[in-house]
Amino acid sequence: MSKVRLSPSRISDFNNCPQLYKYRAIDQLPEKISVDAERGTLVHSILHDLFDSPALERTLHKTLEILPDIWEKQLAEKPELRTLISDEKEWSDRVASLLSTYFLLEEPETFEATSREIHVEMDLRDDVYLHGYVDRLDVAPTGEVRIVDYKTGKAPKPGWEEKALFQLRIYALIYWRTQGVMPKLLQLLYLGDGKVLKNTPTEADLIGAEKSLMVIADQILLALTTDEWKPKPSRLCDWCSFKEICPAFTT
Ligand code: SF4
């Protein structure tokens, strides 16, 4: 039996627009490069490499020193970025500003990151595989686990926090189910506005997330069976790579 592969990104796609999910997850169509996404990749790479340095060298100054090298590596992998980014100084300044904000939120010289970009996975059930990449997972000497995710955008408006936390609850659920340890803290660091969203998950939270995942998995399996993928137009369409072929705009 082939399994449905679920990850926080694909779940978000399906919830936002089933047609978008189909283009990405089923058809695997190529997409336009997103400057915002590439900026996010660069910031994530720098924050990943930051923890390779000895604790006392994890300063903003040192971090800004490694920025050009990591940017060059990214450019080597995607040379088309050179033409997309017209003002490289403005681009670097924006990245530097996001990194400066990171240093207002954490003191990386005071702790060790146990794992970075860790792949977590499990079978949600026989026909559903669930996985994701956790930006950082810290295990305290006392055994408490903290799951951290960096965001280069702004924190959600009041009332939207639960939606934002769902991604981290998925990671927490996988960790709990596979390692037998309930993470103590979920932490979203928003470098766009310097806000932090923290949550201590309960068993009820994670079981609730698991039930929601089952419902989403059933909806995807049904769409696969019927081959019906409803387009759901929204503000996201303005950034969607598939607008030109989407039935919502072509019929
Ligand atoms: S253009 Fe809008 S409705 Fe169409 S696939 Fe993209 S997000 Fe969905």
Side-chain angles (χ1 to χ4, degrees), residues 14 18 22 218-230:
F14 187 79
K22 177 183 183 281
D218 285 338
Q219 290 170 345
I220 293 175
L221 284 163
L222 178 65
L224 278 167
T225 310
T226 58
D227 199 22
E228 277 182 28
W229 306 92
K230 255 192 144 172

Side-chain angles (χ1 to χ4, degrees), residues 17 19-20 23 231-234 236-237 240 242-243 246-249:
C17 173
Q19 182 73 58
L20 174 64
Y23 289 143
K232 207 157 125 188
S234 70
L236 285 179
C237 299
C240 180
F242 313 113
K243 199 170 176 182
C246 173
F249 293 90

Side-chain angles (χ1 to χ4, degrees), residues 110-123:
T110 61
F111 64 91
E112 294 300 327
T114 309
S115 309
R116 290 162 279 157
E117 275 294 312
I118 178 179
H119 185 231
V120 291
E121 60 181 348
M122 70 177 221
D123 283 332

